Amino acid sequence: MNHDTPLSPRPLHHLSDGRRRVMTAAQLRAHGVSAAETDAQCKPGGPWQQILPGVYLLHPGPPTSEERLHAVLMYTARETSPGVPAQPGCENEQRPLYPEVMITGLAALNLHGFAAVPPLLSLDRIDVLVPRLRRLRSTGCARVLRTPALPTPQQRTGLPVAPVPRAVADAVADLEDAGAVRRLLTEAVRGGHCEPAAIVRELNRARLLSRPHVVDAVDSLLAEGRAIAEDRLYRMVREYGLPDPVWNVDLRLPGGPHLGGLDAYWPEHAVALELDTRAPRPGHRQEDDALWSEYARKREHLERLGITVVHITPKKLRDAMEQQATVVRTALMASADRDPAAYVVVLPR
């Protein structure tokens, strides 16, 4: 069956000739194949087999990884009209091929290109996110994960796949090995798939941050994310021709109090830059609030002294580096029009 297959009745041999040979009972009926004919084709030694309830593999051998993915989506997806699930070639912006479901967990991470996950064919189960009220049961290679709110799926190889942070959280829920958890989290950040804060939010939502091996992996993740953000900051200054700042410094008033640490500072322009790598943690609300208060206090104090503070998040550095370079350049150029800043002492941090 190819992507141009019509719904009008076609001979049985036509259904076995195509590139993708997985169909639902409703799709077979739409092609003029009765339930009795389907049962006959699926008898022991027959040319077809039932891979999941109401989903059929139109050849006798084992399914490919692509066929397994389509099968679990066919099993879990809502029908777009009574008795007729969406057909390949019929999808558009209003009618997705597999509505209200998506692949998640290790299978999704495989489709996102992760190296630290097993091959699709070696997975005993493929996790599928469905709305919480759907009446579906896990069976065969399909494991149903219900959620009160579906994330917006991403398309990978034409299939709806959970975003990386959600897929990581769903995969980590089944992992007891600390090394495996750490590898997944590290690849998510080091591979540029997402920022640490997004993963921490999903792990928190899934109530996984009470597990010691997950907490340890998150600590390593945050350190990794900080190092990557700093590398991007160095690259931004170099690639976009910004003047060299002094890096990782503390500011103090002469003979006075400590003003705070900065990731970069341009003394001649009185422009400071700070990376915001905070990630909210459950049970740390007071610490998070205190950290944010410290950020705000430091910024207000520096700006009262005539120092411009540029605040950049790792996500902005990753997704819009040129725009962030423009923000810094604008602040540097505007320094000529400002009153001179107070004199401060710059010390290595």
Coordinates of all heavy atoms in Angstrom, one line a residue, residues 176-238:
E176 N 16.4 2.0 36.1 CA 16.9 2.0 37.5 C 18.4 2.1 37.5 O 19.0 2.4 38.5 CB 16.6 0.6 38.2 CG 15.1 0.4 38.3 CD 14.4 1.4 39.3 OE1 15.1 2.0 40.1 OE2 13.2 1.7 39.1
D177 N 19.0 2.0 36.3 CA 20.5 2.1 36.2 C 20.9 3.6 36.1 O 20.5 4.3 35.2 CB 21.0 1.4 34.9 CG 22.5 1.5 34.8 OD1 23.2 0.9 35.6 OD2 22.9 2.2 33.8
A178 N 21.7 4.0 37.1 CA 22.1 5.5 37.2 C 22.9 5.9 35.9 O 22.7 7.0 35.4 CB 22.9 5.7 38.4
G179 N 23.7 5.0 35.5 CA 24.5 5.3 34.3 C 23.7 5.5 33.0 O 23.9 6.4 32.3
A180 N 22.7 4.7 32.9 CA 21.8 4.8 31.7 C 21.0 6.1 31.8 O 20.8 6.8 30.8 CB 20.8 3.6 31.6
V181 N 20.5 6.5 33.0 CA 19.8 7.8 33.1 C 20.7 8.9 32.8 O 20.4 9.9 32.1 CB 19.3 7.9 34.5 CG1 18.7 9.3 34.8 CG2 18.2 6.8 34.8
R182 N 22.0 8.9 33.3 CA 22.9 10.0 33.1 C 23.2 10.1 31.6 O 23.3 11.2 31.1 CB 24.2 9.8 33.9 CG 25.2 10.9 33.9 CD 26.4 10.7 34.8 NE 26.0 10.7 36.2 CZ 25.9 9.6 36.9 NH1 26.3 8.4 36.4 NH2 25.6 9.7 38.2
R183 N 23.4 9.0 30.9 CA 23.7 9.1 29.5 C 22.6 9.7 28.7 O 22.8 10.5 27.8 CB 24.0 7.6 29.0 CG 25.4 7.1 29.4 CD 25.7 5.9 28.6 NE 24.9 4.7 29.0 CZ 25.1 3.9 30.0 NH1 26.1 4.1 30.8 NH2 24.3 2.9 30.3
L184 N 21.3 9.4 29.0 CA 20.2 10.0 28.3 C 20.2 11.5 28.5 O 20.0 12.3 27.6 CB 18.9 9.3 28.8 CG 18.5 8.0 28.2 CD1 17.1 7.6 28.7 CD2 18.6 7.9 26.7
L185 N 20.3 11.9 29.8 CA 20.2 13.3 30.1 C 21.3 14.1 29.5 O 21.1 15.2 28.9 CB 20.2 13.5 31.6 CG 18.8 13.5 32.3 CD1 18.0 12.2 32.0 CD2 18.9 13.7 33.8
T186 N 22.5 13.5 29.5 CA 23.7 14.2 28.9 C 23.5 14.3 27.4 O 23.8 15.4 26.9 CB 25.0 13.4 29.3 OG1 25.1 13.4 30.7 CG2 26.2 14.0 28.6
E187 N 23.1 13.3 26.8 CA 23.0 13.4 25.3 C 21.9 14.4 24.9 O 22.0 15.1 23.9 CB 22.6 12.0 24.7 CG 22.6 12.0 23.2 CD 22.5 10.7 22.5 OE1 22.5 9.6 23.2 OE2 22.4 10.6 21.3
A188 N 20.8 14.5 25.7 CA 19.8 15.4 25.4 C 20.3 16.8 25.4 O 19.9 17.6 24.5 CB 18.6 15.3 26.4
V189 N 21.2 17.2 26.3 CA 21.7 18.5 26.4 C 22.9 18.7 25.5 O 23.0 19.6 24.7 CB 22.1 18.8 27.8 CG1 22.9 20.2 27.9 CG2 20.9 18.9 28.7
R190 N 23.9 17.7 25.5 CA 25.1 17.9 24.7 C 24.8 17.8 23.2 O 25.4 18.4 22.4 CB 26.1 16.8 25.1 CG 27.5 16.9 24.5 CD 28.4 15.8 25.0 NE 28.7 16.0 26.4 CZ 29.3 15.0 27.1 NH1 29.8 14.0 26.6 NH2 29.6 15.2 28.4
G191 N 23.7 17.0 22.9 CA 23.4 16.9 21.5 C 22.5 18.1 21.0 O 22.1 18.1 19.8
G192 N 22.3 19.1 21.8 CA 21.5 20.2 21.4 C 20.1 20.0 21.3 O 19.4 20.9 20.6
H193 N 19.5 19.0 21.8 CA 18.1 18.7 21.7 C 17.2 19.6 22.6 O 16.1 20.0 22.2 CB 17.8 17.2 22.1 CG 18.4 16.2 21.2 ND1 17.9 15.9 19.9 CD2 19.5 15.5 21.3 CE1 18.7 15.0 19.3 NE2 19.6 14.7 20.2
C194 N 17.7 20.0 23.7 CA 16.9 20.8 24.6 C 17.8 21.3 25.8 O 19.0 20.9 25.9 CB 15.7 20.1 25.2 SG 16.2 18.6 26.2
E195 N 17.3 22.2 26.6 CA 18.0 22.8 27.7 C 17.7 22.0 29.0 O 16.7 21.3 29.1 CB 17.7 24.2 27.9 CG 18.0 25.1 26.7 CD 19.5 25.1 26.4 OE1 20.3 25.0 27.3 OE2 19.8 25.1 25.2
P196 N 18.7 22.0 29.9 CA 18.5 21.2 31.2 C 17.2 21.6 31.9 O 16.5 20.7 32.4 CB 19.7 21.6 32.0 CG 20.8 22.0 31.0 CD 20.0 22.6 29.9
A197 N 16.8 22.9 31.9 CA 15.6 23.3 32.7 C 14.4 22.6 32.1 O 13.5 22.2 32.9 CB 15.4 24.8 32.6
A198 N 14.3 22.4 30.8 CA 13.1 21.7 30.2 C 13.0 20.2 30.7 O 11.9 19.7 31.0 CB 13.2 21.7 28.7
I199 N 14.2 19.6 30.8 CA 14.2 18.2 31.3 C 13.8 18.1 32.8 O 13.0 17.3 33.2 CB 15.5 17.5 31.0 CG1 15.8 17.4 29.5 CG2 15.6 16.2 31.7 CD1 17.2 16.8 29.2
V200 N 14.4 19.0 33.6 CA 14.0 19.1 35.0 C 12.5 19.3 35.2 O 11.9 18.7 36.1 CB 14.9 20.1 35.7 CG1 14.4 20.3 37.2 CG2 16.4 19.8 35.6
R201 N 11.9 20.2 34.4 CA 10.5 20.4 34.5 C 9.7 19.1 34.3 O 8.8 18.8 35.0 CB 10.0 21.5 33.6 CG 10.3 22.9 34.0 CD 9.6 23.9 33.2 NE 10.0 23.9 31.8 CZ 10.9 24.6 31.3 NH1 11.6 25.4 32.1 NH2 11.2 24.6 30.0
E202 N 10.1 18.4 33.2 CA 9.4 17.1 32.9 C 9.6 16.0 34.0 O 8.7 15.3 34.3 CB 9.8 16.6 31.5 CG 9.2 17.4 30.4 CD 7.7 17.3 30.3 OE1 7.1 16.4 30.8 OE2 7.1 18.2 29.7
L203 N 10.8 15.9 34.5 CA 11.1 15.0 35.5 C 10.3 15.3 36.8 O 9.8 14.4 37.5 CB 12.6 14.9 35.8 CG 13.5 14.4 34.7 CD1 15.0 14.6 35.1 CD2 13.2 12.9 34.4
N204 N 10.2 16.6 37.1 CA 9.4 17.0 38.2 C 8.0 16.7 38.0 O 7.3 16.2 38.9 CB 9.6 18.5 38.4 CG 8.9 19.0 39.7 OD1 8.8 18.3 40.6 ND2 8.5 20.3 39.6
R205 N 7.4 17.0 36.8 CA 6.0 16.7 36.5 C 5.7 15.2 36.7 O 4.7 14.8 37.2 CB 5.7 17.1 35.1 CG 4.3 16.8 34.7 CD 4.1 16.7 33.2 NE 5.0 15.7 32.6 CZ 4.8 14.4 32.7 NH1 3.7 14.0 33.3 NH2 5.7 13.6 32.2
A206 N 6.7 14.4 36.3 CA 6.5 12.9 36.4 C 6.9 12.4 37.8 O 6.8 11.2 38.0 CB 7.4 12.2 35.4
R207 N 7.2 13.3 38.7 CA 7.5 12.9 40.1 C 8.7 11.9 40.2 O 8.7 11.0 41.0 CB 6.3 12.3 40.8 CG 5.1 13.3 40.9 CD 3.9 12.7 41.5 NE 2.8 13.7 41.6 CZ 1.6 13.4 42.0 NH1 1.3 12.2 42.5 NH2 0.6 14.3 42.0
L208 N 9.7 12.2 39.4 CA 10.9 11.3 39.4 C 12.0 11.9 40.1 O 13.0 11.2 40.3 CB 11.3 11.1 37.9 CG 10.3 10.3 37.0 CD1 10.8 10.3 35.6 CD2 10.1 8.9 37.5
L209 N 11.9 13.1 40.6 CA 13.1 13.7 41.3 C 13.2 13.3 42.8 O 14.0 13.9 43.5 CB 13.0 15.2 41.2 CG 13.2 15.7 39.7 CD1 13.2 17.3 39.7 CD2 14.6 15.3 39.2
S210 N 12.3 12.3 43.2 CA 12.5 11.8 44.5 C 13.4 10.5 44.5 O 13.8 10.0 45.5 CB 11.1 11.4 45.1 OG 10.5 10.4 44.2
R211 N 13.8 10.1 43.3 CA 14.7 8.9 43.1 C 16.1 9.4 43.2 O 16.6 10.2 42.4 CB 14.4 8.2 41.8 CG 12.9 7.8 41.7 CD 12.7 7.1 40.4 NE 11.3 6.7 40.2 CZ 10.8 6.0 39.2 NH1 11.6 5.6 38.2 NH2 9.5 5.7 39.1
P212 N 16.9 8.8 44.1 CA 18.3 9.3 44.3 C 19.1 9.2 43.0 O 19.9 10.2 42.7 CB 18.8 8.4 45.4 CG 17.6 8.0 46.1 CD 16.5 7.9 45.1
H213 N 19.0 8.1 42.2 CA 19.8 8.0 41.0 C 19.4 9.1 40.0 O 20.3 9.5 39.1 CB 19.8 6.6 40.4 CG 18.5 6.2 39.8 ND1 17.3 6.0 40.6 CD2 18.1 6.0 38.5 CE1 16.4 5.6 39.8 NE2 16.8 5.7 38.5
V214 N 18.2 9.5 40.0 CA 17.7 10.5 39.0 C 18.3 11.9 39.5 O 18.7 12.7 38.7 CB 16.2 10.5 38.9 CG1 15.8 11.7 38.0 CG2 15.7 9.2 38.3
V215 N 18.2 12.1 40.8 CA 18.7 13.4 41.3 C 20.2 13.6 41.0 O 20.7 14.6 40.6 CB 18.5 13.5 42.9 CG1 19.2 14.7 43.5 CG2 17.0 13.5 43.1
D216 N 21.0 12.5 41.2 CA 22.4 12.5 40.9 C 22.6 12.8 39.4 O 23.5 13.6 39.1 CB 23.1 11.2 41.2 CG 23.1 10.9 42.7 OD1 23.0 11.9 43.5 OD2 23.3 9.8 43.1
A217 N 21.8 12.2 38.6 CA 22.0 12.5 37.1 C 21.6 13.9 36.8 O 22.2 14.6 35.9 CB 21.1 11.5 36.3
V218 N 20.6 14.5 37.5 CA 20.2 15.9 37.2 C 21.3 16.8 37.7 O 21.6 17.8 37.0 CB 18.9 16.2 38.0 CG1 18.7 17.7 38.0 CG2 17.7 15.5 37.3
D219 N 22.0 16.5 38.8 CA 23.1 17.4 39.2 C 24.2 17.4 38.1 O 24.7 18.5 37.8 CB 23.7 16.9 40.5 CG 22.7 17.1 41.7 OD1 21.8 18.0 41.6 OD2 22.9 16.4 42.7
S220 N 24.5 16.3 37.6 CA 25.5 16.2 36.5 C 25.0 16.9 35.2 O 25.8 17.6 34.6 CB 25.8 14.7 36.1 OG 26.4 14.1 37.2
L221 N 23.7 16.8 35.0 CA 23.1 17.5 33.8 C 23.2 19.0 33.9 O 23.6 19.7 33.0 CB 21.6 17.1 33.7 CG 20.8 17.8 32.7 CD1 21.1 17.3 31.3 CD2 19.3 17.7 33.0
L222 N 22.9 19.5 35.1 CA 23.0 21.0 35.3 C 24.4 21.5 35.1 O 24.6 22.6 34.5 CB 22.4 21.4 36.6 CG 20.9 21.1 36.8 CD1 20.5 21.4 38.2 CD2 20.1 21.8 35.8
A223 N 25.4 20.7 35.6 CA 26.8 21.1 35.4 C 27.2 21.1 34.0 O 27.8 21.9 33.4 CB 27.7 20.2 36.3
E224 N 26.7 20.0 33.3 CA 26.9 19.9 31.8 C 26.3 21.1 31.1 O 26.9 21.6 30.2 CB 26.4 18.6 31.3 CG 26.5 18.3 29.8 CD 27.8 17.8 29.5 OE1 28.6 17.3 30.4 OE2 28.1 17.8 28.3
G225 N 25.1 21.4 31.4 CA 24.4 22.5 30.7 C 25.1 23.8 30.9 O 25.2 24.6 30.0
R226 N 25.6 24.0 32.1 CA 26.3 25.3 32.4 C 27.6 25.4 31.5 O 27.9 26.4 31.0 CB 26.7 25.3 33.9 CG 27.5 26.5 34.3 CD 26.7 27.7 34.4 NE 27.5 28.9 34.6 CZ 27.1 30.1 34.8 NH1 25.8 30.3 35.0 NH2 27.9 31.1 34.8
A227 N 28.3 24.3 31.5 CA 29.5 24.3 30.7 C 29.2 24.5 29.2 O 30.0 25.3 28.5 CB 30.3 23.0 30.8
I228 N 28.2 23.9 28.7 CA 27.8 24.1 27.3 C 27.4 25.5 27.0 O 27.8 26.1 26.0 CB 26.7 23.1 26.9 CG1 27.2 21.7 26.9 CG2 26.1 23.5 25.5 CD1 26.2 20.6 26.7
A229 N 26.6 26.1 27.9 CA 26.2 27.5 27.8 C 27.4 28.5 27.8 O 27.4 29.4 27.0 CB 25.2 27.9 28.9
E230 N 28.4 28.2 28.6 CA 29.6 29.0 28.6 C 30.3 28.9 27.3 O 30.8 29.9 26.8 CB 30.4 28.6 29.8 CG 29.8 29.1 31.2 CD 30.7 28.6 32.3 OE1 31.6 27.7 32.1 OE2 30.5 29.1 33.5
D231 N 30.4 27.7 26.8 CA 31.1 27.5 25.5 C 30.4 28.3 24.4 O 31.1 28.9 23.5 CB 31.2 26.0 25.1 CG 32.2 25.3 26.0 OD1 33.1 25.9 26.6 OD2 32.1 24.0 26.0
R232 N 29.1 28.3 24.4 CA 28.3 29.0 23.4 C 28.6 30.5 23.6 O 28.6 31.3 22.6 CB 26.9 28.7 23.5 CG 26.5 27.3 23.0 CD 25.0 27.1 23.2 NE 24.7 25.7 22.7 CZ 23.7 25.0 23.3 NH1 23.0 25.5 24.3 NH2 23.4 23.8 22.9
L233 N 28.7 31.0 24.8 CA 28.9 32.4 25.1 C 30.3 32.8 24.5 O 30.4 33.9 23.8 CB 28.8 32.7 26.6 CG 29.0 34.1 27.0 CD1 28.0 35.0 26.3 CD2 28.9 34.2 28.5
Y234 N 31.3 32.0 24.7 CA 32.6 32.3 24.2 C 32.6 32.3 22.7 O 33.2 33.2 22.0 CB 33.7 31.2 24.6 CG 33.9 31.1 26.1 CD1 34.2 29.9 26.6 CD2 33.7 32.2 26.9 CE1 34.4 29.7 28.0 CE2 33.9 32.0 28.3 CZ 34.2 30.8 28.8 OH 34.4 30.7 30.2
R235 N 31.8 31.4 22.1 CA 31.7 31.3 20.6 C 31.0 32.6 20.1 O 31.3 33.1 19.0 CB 31.0 30.0 20.2 CG 30.9 29.8 18.7 CD 30.7 28.4 18.4 NE 29.6 27.8 19.0 CZ 28.4 27.8 18.4 NH1 28.2 28.3 17.2 NH2 27.4 27.2 19.0
M236 N 29.9 33.0 20.8 CA 29.2 34.2 20.3 C 30.1 35.4 20.3 O 30.1 36.2 19.3 CB 28.0 34.5 21.3 CG 27.2 35.7 20.9 SD 26.0 36.1 22.2 CE 27.1 37.0 23.3
V237 N 30.9 35.6 21.3 CA 31.8 36.8 21.3 C 32.8 36.7 20.1 O 33.1 37.7 19.4 CB 32.5 36.9 22.7 CG1 33.7 37.9 22.6 CG2 31.5 37.2 23.8
R238 N 33.3 35.5 19.9 CA 34.3 35.3 18.9 C 33.7 35.4 17.5 O 34.3 36.1 16.6 CB 35.0 33.9 19.1 CG 36.1 33.6 18.1 CD 36.7 32.3 18.4 NE 35.8 31.2 18.1 CZ 35.3 30.4 19.1 NH1 35.5 30.7 20.4 NH2 34.5 29.4 18.8

